[in-house]
């Protein structure tokens, strides 16, 4: 996956959950999009919750270069 496609996917993070989820502040903290060798871990994203309370990510979706919907019960402390 190239960087432009990955950043497009990051920009297209959509909130498919409850309306209260729109007040949440969850950021992409790290992006590992192109491992240099076969022994390194694959591509991944790290999310960071900037709030002082847990955020329920149930139903949130990342789409574009990545297609992932967070399953029910997924919470980020």
């Amino acid at each position: 996956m190239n960087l432009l496609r990955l950043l497009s996917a990051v920009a297209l993070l959509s909130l498919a959950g409850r309306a209260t989820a729109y007040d949440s502040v969850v950021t992409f903290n790290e992006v590992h999009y192109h491992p240099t060798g076969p022994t390194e871990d694959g591509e991944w994203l790290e999310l960071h919750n900037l709030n002082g309370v847990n955020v329920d990510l149930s139903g949130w979706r990342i789409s574009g270069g990545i297609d992932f919907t967070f399953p029910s019960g997924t919470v980020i402390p």
Side-chain angles (χ1 to χ4, degrees):
M1 171 185 321
N2 67 37
L3 179 59
L4 182 57
R5 283 189 56 181
L6 180 62
L7 293 177
S8 295
V10 169
L12 292 174
L13 174 66
S14 64
L15 306 176
R18 299 178 310 269
T20 57
Y22 289 103
D23 293 331
S24 301
V25 181
V26 175
T27 63
F28 290 90
N29 194 48
E30 289 188 55
V31 177
H32 183 63
Y33 68 94
H34 188 66
T36 58
T39 60
E40 291 194 31
D41 292 335
E43 297 175 337
W44 50 266
L45 299 172
E46 179 180 278
L47 300 178
H48 181 72
N49 176 8
L50 299 175
N51 289 326
V53 297
N54 293 348
V55 175
D56 184 357
L57 300 179
S58 300
W60 287 29
R61 181 166 185 224
I62 301 171
S63 62
I66 299 171
D67 188 25
F68 181 79
T69 301
F70 289 90
S72 181
T74 303
V75 174
I76 184 171

